[in-house]
Amino acid sequence: MKRVAILISGSGSNMVALAESMKGDHPGRPVLVLSNVPGAGGLAKAEALGIPTAVVDHRGFDGRVAFEAALSEALEAVRPDVICLAGFMRILTAGFTGRWAGKLLNIHPSLLPKYPGLDTHARAIAAGDAEAGASVHEVTEELDGGPILGQARVPVLPGDTPETLAARVLVEEHKLYPAVLRRFVTGDRTRVDLG
Ligand code: GRF
């Protein structure tokens, strides 16, 4: 059974989708939900799902390296085979991505390599793109730059706001991330493409 840790900063809707997918004959099980934000909405959802939780508050540390040392210590305690970043809003140094190389996944709300970074939906709308979506990728030292393992596409509709587009993409994220994880835990790196 593969041990899956999930890192969050907010509502944790992707964490819920991942956790709920790991049932029955799925070779993975959630072993920890960790947030850098105390009181993040996803923590209560994880507790309701019976998943152990932890908080490592980045504000309590003097710099990224000290924070990441505490993060790695909390992760080492659960011996994860896979670490899923799911709405985790901290940039990770090469030291951390190197320490956990090969085990780190992230979901980013754009069709990478377009729009790494923030405000992805506003940027797609401003560019007049006909479609948008989400990408699941392996995490490397390059922000939102690792090998892409799956993408989900949605249309950008007339009158879309960043909020309406985000909501449409989020529905697909909740299908995409579990589908990629299901393959990833078995060592299967073939791409998932939805929509
Ligand atoms: C999602 O758009 C995800 O792509 C991004 O963070 C947003 C919130 O995710 N990484 P969640 O609801 O906290 O899972």
Side-chain angles (χ1 to χ4, degrees):
M1 192 61 70
K2 297 296 183 184
R3 302 169 60 83
V4 178
I6 305 172
L7 303 188
I8 66 169
S9 298
S11 65
S13 73
N14 276 287
M15 174 277 295
V16 171
L18 290 169
E20 294 193 335
S21 75
M22 288 185 266
K23 289 184 170 127
D25 66 352
H26 191 299
R29 286 295 183 275
V31 294
L32 179 67
V33 170
L34 185 153
S35 174
N36 67 300
V37 176
L43 290 168
K45 294 173 187 168
E47 284 158 17
L49 289 167
I51 305 168
T53 61
V55 172
V56 179
D57 184 345
H58 63 281
R59 295 170 304 177
F61 297 90
D62 182 15
R64 287 187 192 283
V65 172
F67 164 64
E68 291 175 352
L71 198 52
S72 286
E73 188 177 342
L75 287 167
E76 279 157 7
V78 297
R79 307 185 321 282
D81 299 296
V82 182
I83 300 167
C84 293
L85 309 185
F88 186 69
M89 302 308 277
R90 299 298 297 169
I91 292 175
L92 296 164
T93 69
F96 185 88
T97 59
R99 163 76 185 77
W100 297 101
K103 298 183 176 184
L104 287 167
L105 294 180
N106 182 47
I107 189 161
H108 178 75
S110 80
L111 295 174
L112 292 171
K114 293 181 83 170
Y115 315 130
L118 299 174
D119 302 320
T120 60
H121 302 309
R123 291 154 71 188
I125 292 168
D129 292 352
E131 61 177 12
S135 306
V136 175
H137 63 94
E138 291 190 68
V139 175
T140 64
E141 68 275 8
E142 184 189 352
L143 178 67
D144 300 329
I148 293 171
L149 296 175
Q151 292 193 312
R153 296 171 183 278
V154 301
V156 179
L157 299 176
D160 256 337
T161 64
E163 292 70 29
T164 58
L165 181 52
R168 190 174 310 122
V169 171
L170 201 57
V171 170
E172 299 308 311
E173 292 182 28
H174 297 161
K175 303 173 195 166
L176 177 65
Y177 214 167
V180 170
L181 177 65
R182 178 84 194 230
R183 294 185 181 184
F184 191 77
V185 293
T186 65
D188 178 354
R189 295 291 187 277
T190 51
R191 268 181 69 119
V192 176
D193 281 291
L194 307 178

